[in-house]
Every structure is written in structure tokens, then in C-alpha cells.
Amino acid sequence: MSSYYSLPVGSSSSSSLAIVPPSPTPSSCSSLPDISDELYQFTLPDIIEYCPFEHKVNPYYAAASAESDAWFNSFEIHRGPKRSEFLRAKFGLLTAMSYPEADHDHLRNCCDFMSWLFAFDDLTDDGGLRENIDGTKKAAQIMMQALKNPKTFKTEFKVGETLRSFWERACSTASEGTQRRFIETTQLYVDAIYQQVVNRRHDQIPNIETFIQLRRDTSAVKLVFALVEYSLDLQLPDEVFEDSIIQSLEEGANDILTWANDMYSFNVEQSKGDTQNLVIIAMNELNLDVQGAIEYVGDLIKARIDQYCMEKALLPSFGSDEVDAQVARYVEGLENWVIGVLHWSFDSERYFGAEHARIKRDLVVTLLPVDTSMMPAGDSTVVEDSEELEVAASASSTVSAAAPAPSTPTPEPLPELVFDIVEVEDHRPLSPAAPELASDPVVIRFSSDFMDVSVTWSILP
């Protein structure tokens, strides 16, 4: 592994580990290497065994998770099989493993956050925003308004409303610094998600170095680290987060769990034709087969763990026993997240389905066949459900106390139209006001997992 990374001790950079992949070659095409053999198996490295962090589970897990599930279900974001699949992922367990020292109330709120995070992640990875650039931008705007005005902001976009509900309660105990850092890191997250959707839409694979930078934000890890402060009721001064060693430990923990997540989610994502994954990018850039790319990423993770442990020994004192004790708890919180994600990835069905327990034991994975219906659609946009339209509609219907929407007369009832798929070459039917789609307006009434809405729309001639 020495050819893949360097360890310049005392570097002025926020991280003293620099990833130096061999001969990086940017690519603008997401043609996957040939991994079509359905009988192909690959073996995962044992990162859990290598990782030195202690694995713990919050004792309030069962109660807090059940309460949070009931809260999330009240929004009716998922129904039927989607709801069952969402629950089998055990996001409450992930929360309990990642925030094992939180009290009941803080853990419950963190569980709510986790449900929002994965609902939004699924919407941008597998749902109506998967390749929808404009819709993703509108959704990002809704998320940020929900955080900046949690008491007055209202939206019909159910995923946005879950974030607002969680954040309004969290602000009652979160410090000003925690609130500021959470909002700032959420902005980084939604910006990076937007760029990921752009990459996916335009069929682009970044090189390894570029992707690693982007992935630090698309992973949402910076958000969950801000919630470490919240979960423990810490009151850390800004100088702690400005310290280069703290920044390096945050970045190192981010890389470890994010790269591990890419390795564990690779099989599901490659089956959907998703190229925004470190394993796929390594295959593409370094001309590796699946096993070679898995081993490459595994070696990067182990090297990052080693570097994290070396840098942890360099933690300075911040001039107060009380602050130093809180810093130690915060750093332990970063490590709880790392080891929690490693275990949860095998303890839920999200990445390995019904075989998750067996795969945790022997680490052997059978490659899933590619679902061609999830492959990039080329030059035309295919709207397979109403989630994309729902985001656009909710963006225009969002209201707040500071800026109430003007009243409008009730339109005359018009014929109800039913549609399943819309294909528009070089256009996206997202804005009812788009002049290029102008025609006689009608009202389309539709229902999705995310919202029931009526939208004034224009039908292409």
C-alpha cells in the first residue's frame, strides 16, 4: 500500500494523509468494466477485525427507535413494500451504535434525523431525483429553508417536513455552535448531492482524487459528526474545530466509514448502474477487476485507520481540563460512528439482503445481476414516477410566516389525466411556468409516496 498514500508528518494541511492513486486518469464516460457474470463472487476484507475502536449499542435503543419509527410513519412517506424495506434497514440500530452514550431524548431525535437522511438519500439515489438536476436543486432549497426557519417554515414536501420537525426539537438543547455547524455542513451535503446528480445525469465518472473530495460531503458524515456534539450536550468552543489535528481526525474518520460504505454498498449500486462509488471508480481508473478494486479500497481503509490512530496521539490540550474532557468525548464519538457503521452494514438488510449474517461471517459476496431499468437513460429524461414532479410542485407551494403565498382563486375543475411515464428529449417537465412547454393548461392530479398534490401543467403538443 505504500505506493498509494504518503504520511507527511507535521503537514500544514488539515489532513496529514494525502491519497496518491497511481496514474489518475479522469473519465467522462461511465461505461462499467465487464462485471456481468452472475456467478462471480468476491471477498471483502475484514475491516471490523482491523479496526481498534470499541463497539457499543445505546441501552435506550429499543424504546427510542420504536418511538421514532412511529413518528416517521406518521408522514406516510413510504407505503407497502417500500415501507417494509425501509424498516428492514434498521436505521434505529445504526443510530444506537453511532450515538451509544446519548440519553433517551437525544437518541430519539438522532433516530428521527437518521430516518430523514436515508429517506432523502434514497430519493436522490434510487427515486425521482436520481438524475433530476432541477428537482434536486429545488429539494436542496427546501432543506435549507427548513433548517434556517424551523418554527415558521412549512412545506408539503414530506421529506423536507421531517427534517424541519426534527430540527425544531433539536434546537431546544443544541448549542449555538452546534446549530451553526449543522447548518453549514448540511449546505455542503446538499451541494455535493446536487453535483453527484449532475455527474450521474451526464454519465460522468470523476477520477479517484476528485471523487474522494466530493464523497466527504455526499456521505453526510459531517452532519452526523455535528450531531455527536448534540447527542452528548457538549459545549465546545470554536477553537477546537479550528484545530488542525481535530480537522484531520474528522476527515480521517469520514474517509474510513465512507470508503467502507462504498465497499459494502458496491454490489447493490453496481446492479443499478450507479457509477458514483469508489470501487467502480477504482475499477474504471486503474483497470482493476472487482476483487482487485475491493482489495484496493480495503487497503486504503486500513491505511486511513493507521493514520487516524497516529494523529490521535498528537491531540493537543485546549487549556482546560473541562474542555479537554469534552474533546475526548467528541473524538470517541467519531470512533463510535466508524465502528457503528462497520457493524450495522452487516447487521441490517440494506446492503446484503437476507444473507447479511452469513456474509458478516465469511465475507463472500455473490455479484448481483445488473438491473437494466436503472441504467442511465442517455439523452432523454424518463420520469418513472411522480416524485420528481412532487418536488417541483412543493417548491412552488412552500410558504412561511415571513413570506405568505398570495391568495389565488379556486380554478374550475378540469378533466383528470392519468399518466405513468413521460419522456421529453432535452427538457424536464418540472416547472408549470416553463415557456418552452407552454400549451393549454390543465390540472394533473397525482399521488406519490411523498405527497398528494394537484399541479397546473402544460401538455406537449
Side-chain angles (χ1 to χ4, degrees):
M1 272 303 299
S2 60
S3 63
Y4 296 155
Y5 64 95
S6 59
L7 307 176
V9 177
S11 167
S12 59
S13 168
S14 63
S15 172
S16 60
L17 183 148
I19 301 299
V20 187
S23 306
T25 305
S27 171
S28 62
C29 175
S30 64
S31 298
L32 297 174
D34 184 8
I35 51 176
S36 59
D37 185 354
E38 296 181 16
L39 299 179
Y40 185 96
Q41 290 186 322
F42 59 93
T43 302
L44 296 165
D46 194 345
I47 302 300
I48 290 178
E49 177 66 23
Y50 194 86
C51 186
F53 309 144
E54 181 184 359
H55 174 51
K56 295 172 285 186
V57 180
N58 194 298
Y60 300 109
Y61 157 55
S65 181
E67 292 168 14
S68 181
D69 285 347
W71 166 84
F72 184 76
N73 289 338
S74 71
F75 291 90
E76 297 185 339
I77 289 176
H78 295 309
R79 304 185 186 107
K82 279 189 176 181
R83 180 177 177 273
S84 298
E85 180 182 357
F86 195 83
L87 293 176
R88 285 198 302 272
K90 298 182 180 178
F91 298 124
L93 178 61
L94 171 60
T95 310
M97 291 178 172
S98 302
Y99 301 108
E101 306 298 335
D103 63 25
H104 171 274
D105 290 346
H106 285 85
L107 181 66
R108 157 62 204 281
N109 271 357
C110 288
C111 286
D112 293 353
F113 162 80
M114 206 69 69
S115 291
W116 163 76
L117 178 62
F118 280 95
F120 185 58
D121 181 70
D122 286 348
L123 186 58
T124 58
D125 274 355
D126 304 323
L129 298 182
R130 177 181 168 86
E131 297 183 23
N132 184 338
I133 296 173
D134 290 341
T136 300
K137 182 183 293 186
K138 291 181 175 70
Q141 292 169 348
I142 291 172
M143 300 307 174
M144 296 313 301
Q145 290 182 61
L147 293 183
K148 293 175 181 178
N149 303 286
K151 292 185 180 298
T152 58
F153 179 77
K154 301 296 179 185
T155 176
E156 294 181 49
F157 180 32
K158 294 179 182 179
V159 176
E161 180 59 19
T162 60
L163 177 62
R164 188 211 62 77
S165 172
F166 146 75
W167 187 236
E168 181 179 13
R169 285 175 280 118
C171 286
S172 65
T173 59
S175 69
E176 290 185 8
T178 299
Q179 293 181 45
R180 184 180 69 254
R181 280 182 282 275
F182 186 83
I183 291 173
E184 289 172 351
T185 54
T186 301
Q187 185 70 68
L188 293 173
Y189 168 64
V190 296
D191 288 348
I193 287 294
Y194 173 80
Q195 184 58 52
Q196 180 172 272
V197 170
V198 170
N199 289 346
R200 188 181 289 126
R201 170 63 188 149
H202 294 296
D203 206 13
Q204 293 178 338
I205 301 182
N207 63 32
I208 294 173
E209 186 174 3
T210 300
F211 181 74
I212 283 174
Q213 295 293 332
L214 180 67
R215 193 73 176 93
R216 287 168 180 158
D217 289 321
T218 61
S219 65
V221 169
K222 294 177 181 179
L223 283 73
V224 302
F225 286 173
L227 285 189
V228 169
E229 293 181 72
Y230 164 76
S231 72
L232 299 173
D233 258 339
L234 301 181
Q235 304 288 328
L236 290 168
D238 288 345
E239 66 176 293
V240 170
F241 298 96
E242 295 164 358
D243 180 78
S244 62
I245 296 298
I246 290 292
Q247 291 176 358
S248 186
L249 291 176
E250 289 174 331
E251 191 171 278
N254 189 337
D255 287 345
I256 295 164
L257 69 87
T258 298
W259 299 346
N261 176 262
D262 274 17
M263 188 169 62
Y264 297 148
S265 65
F266 156 73
N267 199 23
V268 172
E269 292 182 352
Q270 67 80 25
S271 73
K272 298 174 182 177
D274 193 343
T275 59
Q276 304 302 301
N277 179 291
L278 186 56
V279 176
I280 293 285
I281 289 169
M283 293 174 67
N284 183 75
E285 183 173 328
L286 305 178
N287 195 28
L288 298 171
D289 62 10
V290 172
Q291 188 63 57
I294 290 290
E295 291 174 0
Y296 172 84
V297 174
D299 286 345
L300 287 180
I301 295 168
K302 291 177 180 179
R304 208 61 168 113
I305 291 172
D306 292 344
Q307 181 63 11
Y308 177 96
C309 293
M310 286 190 288
E311 291 186 334
K312 182 180 176 181
L314 303 176
L315 263 176
S317 170
F318 291 90
S320 161
D321 290 344
E322 181 181 355
V323 173
D324 287 350
Q326 290 198 39
V327 168
R329 296 187 73 197
Y330 176 72
V331 171
E332 183 182 13
L334 306 182
E335 297 166 4
N336 288 334
W337 251 100
V338 170
I339 194 65
V341 166
L342 296 182
H343 278 276
W344 167 80
S345 297
F346 294 101
D347 292 343
S348 85
E349 296 187 18
R350 186 165 177 85
Y351 304 129
F352 302 114
E355 289 195 286
H356 64 92
R358 192 270 303 164
I359 292 174
K360 188 175 188 179
R361 291 192 302 271
D362 64 26
L363 301 172
V364 176
V365 183
T366 299
L367 199 69
L368 292 171
V370 174
D371 179 358
T372 56
S373 68
M374 297 293 291
M375 298 296 286
D379 293 333
S380 62
T381 301
V382 178
V383 182
E384 296 181 344
D385 51 42
S386 60
E387 292 171 357
E388 292 179 314
L389 304 180
E390 171 267 319
V391 173
S394 65
S396 64
S397 64
T398 296
V399 296
S400 68
S407 60
T408 56
T410 302
E412 291 297 321
L414 293 171
E416 183 174 285
L417 301 180
V418 179
F419 63 96
D420 295 317
I421 298 176
V422 177
E423 293 191 13
V424 181
E425 187 171 354
D426 296 326
H427 296 286
R428 295 173 184 270
L430 290 173
S431 172
E436 66 271 21
L437 299 180
S439 181
D440 295 334
V442 298
V443 173
I444 297 178
R445 297 178 178 86
F446 59 89
S447 176
S448 75
D449 288 345
F450 291 83
M451 190 172 69
D452 299 318
V453 70
S454 295
V455 179
T456 301
W457 201 257
S458 297
I459 300 300
L460 289 173

Coordinates of all heavy atoms in Angstrom, one line a residue, residues 57-129:
V57 N -23.6 -0.4 21.9 CA -25.0 -0.1 21.5 C -25.7 0.6 22.6 O -25.6 0.2 23.8 CB -25.8 -1.4 21.2 CG1 -27.2 -1.1 20.8 CG2 -25.1 -2.2 20.1
N58 N -26.4 1.7 22.3 CA -27.1 2.5 23.3 C -28.2 1.7 24.0 O -29.0 1.0 23.3 CB -27.7 3.7 22.6 CG -28.2 4.8 23.6 OD1 -29.0 4.6 24.4 ND2 -27.6 6.0 23.4
P59 N -28.3 1.7 25.3 CA -29.3 0.9 26.0 C -30.7 1.4 25.8 O -31.6 0.6 26.1 CB -28.9 1.1 27.5 CG -28.1 2.4 27.6 CD -27.4 2.5 26.2
Y60 N -30.9 2.6 25.3 CA -32.2 3.1 25.0 C -32.7 2.8 23.6 O -33.7 3.3 23.1 CB -32.3 4.6 25.2 CG -31.9 5.1 26.6 CD1 -30.7 5.7 26.9 CD2 -32.8 4.8 27.7 CE1 -30.4 6.1 28.2 CE2 -32.5 5.2 29.0 CZ -31.3 5.9 29.2 OH -30.9 6.3 30.5
Y61 N -32.0 2.0 22.9 CA -32.2 1.7 21.5 C -33.6 1.3 21.2 O -34.3 1.9 20.4 CB -31.2 0.6 21.0 CG -31.7 -0.2 19.8 CD1 -32.0 0.5 18.6 CD2 -31.8 -1.6 19.8 CE1 -32.5 -0.2 17.5 CE2 -32.2 -2.3 18.7 CZ -32.5 -1.6 17.5 OH -32.9 -2.3 16.4
A62 N -34.1 0.3 21.9 CA -35.5 -0.3 21.5 C -36.6 0.7 21.7 O -37.4 0.9 20.8 CB -35.7 -1.5 22.4
A63 N -36.6 1.4 22.8 CA -37.7 2.4 23.0 C -37.6 3.6 22.1 O -38.6 4.0 21.5 CB -37.6 2.9 24.5
A64 N -36.4 4.2 22.0 CA -36.2 5.4 21.1 C -36.5 5.0 19.7 O -37.1 5.8 19.0 CB -34.8 5.9 21.3
S65 N -36.0 3.9 19.2 CA -36.2 3.5 17.8 C -37.7 3.3 17.5 O -38.2 3.7 16.5 CB -35.4 2.2 17.5 OG -35.6 1.9 16.2
A66 N -38.4 2.7 18.4 CA -39.8 2.4 18.2 C -40.6 3.7 18.1 O -41.5 3.9 17.3 CB -40.4 1.5 19.3
E67 N -40.3 4.7 19.0 CA -40.9 6.0 19.0 C -40.6 6.7 17.7 O -41.5 7.4 17.1 CB -40.5 6.8 20.2 CG -40.9 6.3 21.6 CD -40.2 6.9 22.7 OE1 -39.6 8.0 22.5 OE2 -40.3 6.4 23.9
S68 N -39.4 6.6 17.3 CA -39.0 7.3 16.1 C -39.7 6.7 14.9 O -40.1 7.4 13.9 CB -37.5 7.3 15.9 OG -37.1 8.0 14.8
D69 N -39.8 5.4 14.8 CA -40.5 4.7 13.7 C -41.9 5.2 13.6 O -42.4 5.4 12.5 CB -40.4 3.2 13.8 CG -39.0 2.7 13.5 OD1 -38.2 3.4 12.9 OD2 -38.8 1.5 13.8
A70 N -42.6 5.3 14.7 CA -44.0 5.7 14.7 C -44.1 7.2 14.2 O -45.0 7.5 13.5 CB -44.5 5.6 16.1
W71 N -43.2 8.0 14.7 CA -43.1 9.4 14.2 C -42.9 9.5 12.7 O -43.6 10.1 12.0 CB -42.0 10.2 14.9 CG -41.6 11.5 14.3 CD1 -42.2 12.7 14.5 CD2 -40.5 11.7 13.4 NE1 -41.6 13.7 13.8 CE2 -40.6 13.1 13.1 CE3 -39.6 10.9 12.8 CZ2 -39.7 13.7 12.2 CZ3 -38.7 11.5 11.9 CH2 -38.7 12.9 11.6
F72 N -41.9 8.7 12.2 CA -41.6 8.7 10.7 C -42.8 8.2 9.9 O -43.2 8.7 8.9 CB -40.4 7.9 10.4 CG -39.9 8.0 9.0 CD1 -39.3 9.1 8.5 CD2 -40.1 6.9 8.2 CE1 -38.9 9.2 7.2 CE2 -39.7 7.0 6.8 CZ -39.1 8.1 6.3
N73 N -43.4 7.1 10.4 CA -44.5 6.5 9.7 C -45.7 7.5 9.6 O -46.6 7.4 8.7 CB -45.0 5.2 10.4 CG -44.0 4.1 10.2 OD1 -43.2 4.1 9.2 ND2 -44.0 3.1 11.1
S74 N -45.8 8.4 10.5 CA -47.0 9.3 10.5 C -46.9 10.2 9.3 O -48.0 10.8 8.9 CB -47.0 10.2 11.8 OG -45.9 11.1 11.8
F75 N -45.8 10.4 8.7 CA -45.7 11.2 7.5 C -46.1 10.5 6.2 O -46.2 11.1 5.2 CB -44.2 11.8 7.3 CG -43.8 12.8 8.4 CD1 -43.2 12.3 9.6 CD2 -44.1 14.1 8.2 CE1 -42.9 13.3 10.5 CE2 -43.7 15.0 9.2 CZ -43.1 14.6 10.3
E76 N -46.2 9.2 6.3 CA -46.6 8.3 5.2 C -45.8 8.6 4.0 O -46.2 8.6 2.8 CB -48.1 8.6 4.8 CG -49.1 8.2 6.0 CD -50.5 8.3 5.5 OE1 -50.8 9.1 4.6 OE2 -51.4 7.7 6.2
I77 N -44.5 8.6 4.2 CA -43.5 8.8 3.1 C -43.4 7.5 2.3 O -43.3 7.5 1.1 CB -42.1 9.3 3.7 CG1 -42.3 10.7 4.1 CG2 -41.1 9.1 2.6 CD1 -41.0 11.2 4.8
H78 N -43.4 6.4 3.0 CA -43.3 5.1 2.4 C -44.5 4.3 2.7 O -45.1 4.3 3.8 CB -42.1 4.3 2.8 CG -40.8 4.9 2.4 ND1 -40.5 5.3 1.2 CD2 -39.7 5.2 3.2 CE1 -39.3 5.8 1.1 NE2 -38.8 5.8 2.3
R79 N -45.0 3.5 1.7 CA -46.1 2.6 1.9 C -45.8 1.2 1.4 O -44.9 1.1 0.5 CB -47.4 3.2 1.2 CG -47.8 4.6 1.6 CD -49.1 5.0 0.9 NE -49.4 6.4 1.2 CZ -49.4 7.3 0.3 NH1 -48.9 7.0 -1.0 NH2 -49.7 8.6 0.6
G80 N -46.5 0.2 1.8 CA -46.4 -1.1 1.3 C -45.0 -1.7 1.3 O -44.2 -1.5 2.3
P81 N -44.5 -2.3 0.2 CA -43.2 -2.9 0.2 C -42.0 -1.9 0.5 O -41.0 -2.3 1.1 CB -43.1 -3.4 -1.3 CG -44.5 -3.6 -1.7 CD -45.3 -2.5 -1.0
K82 N -42.2 -0.7 0.0 CA -41.1 0.3 0.3 C -41.0 0.6 1.8 O -39.9 0.7 2.3 CB -41.4 1.7 -0.4 CG -41.1 1.7 -1.9 CD -41.2 3.1 -2.4 CE -40.8 3.2 -3.9 NZ -40.9 4.6 -4.4
R83 N -42.1 0.6 2.5 CA -42.0 0.8 3.9 C -41.4 -0.4 4.6 O -40.5 -0.2 5.5 CB -43.5 1.0 4.5 CG -43.5 1.3 6.0 CD -44.9 1.6 6.4 NE -45.0 1.7 7.8 CZ -45.2 0.7 8.7 NH1 -45.3 -0.5 8.2 NH2 -45.3 0.9 10.0
S84 N -41.7 -1.6 4.2 CA -41.1 -2.8 4.8 C -39.6 -2.8 4.5 O -38.8 -3.1 5.4 CB -41.8 -4.0 4.2 OG -43.1 -4.1 4.5
E85 N -39.2 -2.4 3.3 CA -37.8 -2.4 3.0 C -37.0 -1.4 3.8 O -35.9 -1.6 4.3 CB -37.6 -2.1 1.5 CG -36.2 -2.1 1.1 CD -36.0 -1.7 -0.4 OE1 -37.1 -1.6 -1.1 OE2 -34.9 -1.6 -0.9
F86 N -37.7 -0.2 4.0 CA -37.1 0.9 4.8 C -36.9 0.4 6.3 O -35.8 0.6 6.8 CB -37.9 2.1 4.7 CG -37.3 3.4 5.2 CD1 -36.5 4.1 4.3 CD2 -37.5 3.9 6.5 CE1 -35.9 5.3 4.7 CE2 -36.9 5.0 6.9 CZ -36.1 5.8 6.0
L87 N -37.8 -0.2 6.8 CA -37.8 -0.7 8.2 C -36.7 -1.8 8.4 O -36.0 -1.9 9.4 CB -39.1 -1.1 8.7 CG -40.2 -0.1 8.8 CD1 -41.5 -0.7 9.3 CD2 -39.8 1.0 9.8
R88 N -36.6 -2.7 7.4 CA -35.6 -3.7 7.5 C -34.2 -3.2 7.5 O -33.2 -3.9 7.9 CB -35.8 -4.7 6.3 CG -37.0 -5.6 6.5 CD -36.8 -6.9 5.5 NE -36.7 -6.5 4.1 CZ -37.7 -6.3 3.3 NH1 -38.9 -6.4 3.7 NH2 -37.4 -5.9 2.0
A89 N -34.0 -2.0 7.1 CA -32.6 -1.4 7.1 C -32.1 -1.1 8.5 O -31.0 -0.9 8.8 CB -32.6 -0.2 6.2
K90 N -33.1 -1.0 9.5 CA -32.7 -0.9 10.9 C -31.9 0.4 11.1 O -30.8 0.4 11.7 CB -32.0 -2.1 11.4 CG -32.7 -3.4 11.4 CD -31.9 -4.5 12.0 CE -32.7 -5.8 11.9 NZ -31.9 -6.9 12.5
F91 N -32.4 1.5 10.7 CA -31.7 2.8 10.9 C -31.7 3.2 12.4 O -30.7 3.9 12.8 CB -32.4 3.9 10.1 CG -32.3 3.6 8.6 CD1 -33.5 3.6 7.8 CD2 -31.1 3.4 7.9 CE1 -33.5 3.4 6.5 CE2 -31.1 3.1 6.6 CZ -32.3 3.1 5.8
G92 N -32.6 2.7 13.2 CA -32.6 3.0 14.6 C -31.4 2.3 15.2 O -30.7 2.8 16.1
L93 N -31.1 1.1 14.7 CA -29.9 0.3 15.2 C -28.6 1.1 14.9 O -27.7 1.2 15.7 CB -29.9 -1.1 14.7 CG -28.7 -1.9 15.1 CD1 -28.6 -2.2 16.6 CD2 -28.7 -3.3 14.3
L94 N -28.6 1.6 13.6 CA -27.4 2.4 13.3 C -27.2 3.6 14.2 O -26.1 3.9 14.6 CB -27.5 2.9 11.8 CG -26.5 3.9 11.3 CD1 -25.1 3.3 11.4 CD2 -26.8 4.3 9.9
T95 N -28.3 4.2 14.5 CA -28.2 5.4 15.4 C -27.8 5.0 16.8 O -26.9 5.7 17.4 CB -29.6 6.0 15.5 OG1 -30.2 6.3 14.2 CG2 -29.5 7.4 16.2
A96 N -28.3 3.9 17.3 CA -27.9 3.4 18.6 C -26.4 3.0 18.7 O -25.8 3.1 19.7 CB -28.8 2.3 19.1
M97 N -25.9 2.5 17.6 CA -24.5 2.1 17.5 C -23.6 3.3 17.4 O -22.4 3.3 17.8 CB -24.2 1.1 16.4 CG -24.8 -0.2 16.5 SD -24.6 -1.3 15.1 CE -25.1 -2.9 15.6
S98 N -24.1 4.4 16.7 CA -23.3 5.5 16.4 C -23.3 6.6 17.5 O -22.4 7.4 17.6 CB -23.8 6.2 15.1 OG -23.7 5.2 14.0
Y99 N -24.4 6.6 18.3 CA -24.5 7.5 19.5 C -24.8 6.7 20.7 O -25.8 6.9 21.4 CB -25.7 8.5 19.2 CG -25.5 9.3 18.0 CD1 -26.3 9.1 16.8 CD2 -24.5 10.3 17.9 CE1 -26.2 9.9 15.7 CE2 -24.4 11.1 16.7 CZ -25.2 10.9 15.6 OH -25.0 11.6 14.5
P100 N -23.9 5.8 21.1 CA -24.2 4.9 22.2 C -24.2 5.5 23.6 O -24.7 4.9 24.5 CB -23.0 3.9 22.1 CG -21.9 4.7 21.5 CD -22.6 5.6 20.5
E101 N -23.7 6.8 23.7 CA -23.7 7.4 25.0 C -24.8 8.5 25.2 O -24.9 9.1 26.2 CB -22.3 8.1 25.2 CG -21.1 7.3 25.0 CD -21.1 6.1 26.0 OE1 -21.6 6.2 27.1 OE2 -20.4 5.1 25.7
A102 N -25.7 8.6 24.2 CA -26.7 9.6 24.3 C -27.8 9.2 25.2 O -28.1 8.0 25.4 CB -27.3 9.9 22.9
D103 N -28.5 10.2 25.9 CA -29.6 9.8 26.7 C -30.8 9.5 25.8 O -30.8 9.7 24.6 CB -29.9 10.9 27.7 CG -30.3 12.3 27.1 OD1 -30.8 12.3 26.0 OD2 -30.1 13.3 27.8
H104 N -31.9 9.1 26.4 CA -33.1 8.7 25.6 C -33.6 9.8 24.7 O -33.8 9.5 23.5 CB -34.2 8.3 26.6 CG -35.5 8.0 25.8 ND1 -36.4 9.0 25.6 CD2 -36.1 6.9 25.3 CE1 -37.5 8.5 24.9 NE2 -37.3 7.2 24.7
D105 N -33.8 11.0 25.2 CA -34.3 12.1 24.4 C -33.4 12.5 23.2 O -33.9 12.7 22.1 CB -34.6 13.3 25.2 CG -35.8 13.1 26.2 OD1 -36.5 12.1 26.0 OD2 -35.9 13.9 27.1
H106 N -32.2 12.5 23.4 CA -31.2 12.9 22.4 C -31.1 11.7 21.3 O -31.1 12.0 20.1 CB -29.8 13.2 22.9 CG -29.8 14.6 23.6 ND1 -30.1 14.8 24.9 CD2 -29.4 15.8 23.1 CE1 -29.9 16.1 25.2 NE2 -29.5 16.7 24.1
L107 N -31.2 10.5 21.8 CA -31.1 9.4 20.9 C -32.4 9.4 20.0 O -32.3 9.1 18.8 CB -31.0 8.1 21.7 CG -30.9 6.8 20.8 CD1 -29.6 6.8 20.0 CD2 -31.0 5.6 21.6
R108 N -33.5 9.6 20.6 CA -34.8 9.6 19.9 C -34.7 10.6 18.7 O -35.1 10.4 17.6 CB -35.9 9.9 20.8 CG -37.2 10.5 20.2 CD -37.8 9.6 19.1 NE -38.6 10.3 18.2 CZ -39.8 10.9 18.4 NH1 -40.4 10.7 19.6 NH2 -40.4 11.5 17.4
N109 N -34.2 11.9 19.0 CA -34.1 12.9 18.0 C -33.1 12.5 16.9 O -33.3 12.7 15.7 CB -33.7 14.2 18.6 CG -34.9 15.0 19.0 OD1 -36.1 14.6 18.8 ND2 -34.7 16.2 19.6
C110 N -32.0 11.8 17.3 CA -31.0 11.4 16.4 C -31.6 10.3 15.5 O -31.3 10.2 14.3 CB -29.7 10.9 17.1 SG -28.8 12.2 17.8
C111 N -32.4 9.4 16.0 CA -33.1 8.4 15.2 C -34.0 9.1 14.2 O -34.1 8.7 13.0 CB -34.0 7.5 16.1 SG -33.1 6.3 17.1
D112 N -34.7 10.2 14.6 CA -35.5 10.9 13.6 C -34.7 11.5 12.5 O -35.0 11.4 11.3 CB -36.2 12.1 14.3 CG -37.3 11.6 15.3 OD1 -37.6 10.4 15.4 OD2 -37.8 12.5 16.0
F113 N -33.5 12.1 12.8 CA -32.6 12.6 11.8 C -32.2 11.5 10.9 O -32.1 11.7 9.6 CB -31.4 13.2 12.5 CG -30.2 13.3 11.6 CD1 -30.1 14.4 10.7 CD2 -29.2 12.4 11.6 CE1 -29.0 14.5 9.8 CE2 -28.1 12.5 10.7 CZ -28.0 13.6 9.8
M114 N -31.9 10.3 11.4 CA -31.4 9.2 10.5 C -32.4 8.8 9.5 O -32.1 8.5 8.4 CB -30.9 8.0 11.4 CG -29.9 7.2 10.7 SD -28.3 8.0 10.6 CE -27.8 8.1 12.3
S115 N -33.7 8.8 9.9 CA -34.8 8.4 9.0 C -34.9 9.5 7.9 O -35.1 9.1 6.7 CB -36.1 8.3 9.7 OG -36.1 7.2 10.6
W116 N -34.8 10.8 8.3 CA -34.8 11.8 7.2 C -33.6 11.6 6.3 O -33.8 11.7 5.0 CB -34.7 13.2 7.9 CG -34.3 14.2 6.8 CD1 -35.1 14.7 5.8 CD2 -33.0 14.7 6.5 NE1 -34.3 15.5 5.0 CE2 -33.0 15.5 5.4 CE3 -31.7 14.5 7.2 CZ2 -31.9 16.2 4.9 CZ3 -30.6 15.2 6.6 CH2 -30.7 16.0 5.5
L117 N -32.5 11.4 6.8 CA -31.3 11.3 6.0 C -31.4 10.2 4.9 O -31.1 10.4 3.7 CB -30.0 11.1 6.9 CG -28.7 10.9 6.1 CD1 -28.4 12.2 5.4 CD2 -27.6 10.6 7.1
F118 N -31.8 9.0 5.4 CA -31.9 7.9 4.4 C -33.1 8.0 3.5 O -33.0 7.6 2.3 CB -31.9 6.6 5.1 CG -30.5 6.2 5.6 CD1 -30.0 6.5 6.8 CD2 -29.7 5.5 4.7 CE1 -28.7 6.1 7.2 CE2 -28.4 5.1 5.1 CZ -27.9 5.4 6.3
A119 N -34.2 8.7 3.9 CA -35.3 8.9 3.0 C -34.8 9.9 1.9 O -35.2 9.7 0.7 CB -36.5 9.5 3.8
F120 N -34.1 10.9 2.2 CA -33.6 11.8 1.2 C -32.5 11.2 0.3 O -32.5 11.3 -0.9 CB -33.0 13.1 1.9 CG -32.6 14.1 0.9 CD1 -33.5 14.7 0.0 CD2 -31.3 14.6 0.9 CE1 -33.1 15.7 -0.9 CE2 -30.9 15.6 0.0 CZ -31.8 16.1 -0.9
D121 N -31.7 10.3 1.0 CA -30.6 9.6 0.2 C -31.3 8.7 -0.8 O -30.8 8.6 -2.0 CB -29.8 8.8 1.2 CG -28.6 8.1 0.5 OD1 -27.7 8.7 0.0 OD2 -28.7 6.8 0.4
D122 N -32.3 8.0 -0.4 CA -33.0 7.1 -1.3 C -33.6 7.8 -2.5 O -33.7 7.4 -3.6 CB -34.0 6.3 -0.6 CG -33.4 5.2 0.3 OD1 -32.2 4.9 0.1 OD2 -34.2 4.6 1.1
L123 N -34.2 9.0 -2.2 CA -34.8 9.8 -3.2 C -33.8 10.3 -4.3 O -34.1 10.3 -5.5 CB -35.5 11.0 -2.6 CG -36.3 12.0 -3.4 CD1 -37.5 11.2 -4.1 CD2 -36.9 13.1 -2.6
T124 N -32.6 10.6 -3.8 CA -31.6 11.0 -4.8 C -30.8 9.9 -5.4 O -30.2 10.1 -6.5 CB -30.6 12.0 -4.1 OG1 -30.0 11.4 -3.0 CG2 -31.3 13.3 -3.7
D125 N -30.8 8.7 -4.8 CA -30.0 7.6 -5.3 C -30.9 6.7 -6.2 O -30.5 6.2 -7.3 CB -29.4 6.7 -4.2 CG -28.1 7.3 -3.8 OD1 -27.6 8.2 -4.4 OD2 -27.5 6.7 -2.8
D126 N -32.1 6.4 -5.7 CA -33.0 5.5 -6.4 C -34.3 6.0 -6.9 O -35.0 5.4 -7.6 CB -33.3 4.2 -5.5 CG -32.0 3.6 -5.0 OD1 -31.0 3.5 -5.8 OD2 -32.0 3.2 -3.8
G127 N -34.7 7.2 -6.4 CA -36.0 7.7 -6.6 C -36.1 8.7 -7.7 O -35.2 8.7 -8.6
G128 N -37.1 9.6 -7.6 CA -37.3 10.5 -8.7 C -36.3 11.6 -8.9 O -36.3 12.3 -9.9
L129 N -35.3 11.8 -7.9 CA -34.3 12.7 -8.1 C -33.0 12.1 -8.6 O -31.9 12.8 -8.6 CB -34.1 13.5 -6.8 CG -35.2 14.3 -6.2 CD1 -34.9 15.0 -5.0 CD2 -35.7 15.3 -7.3

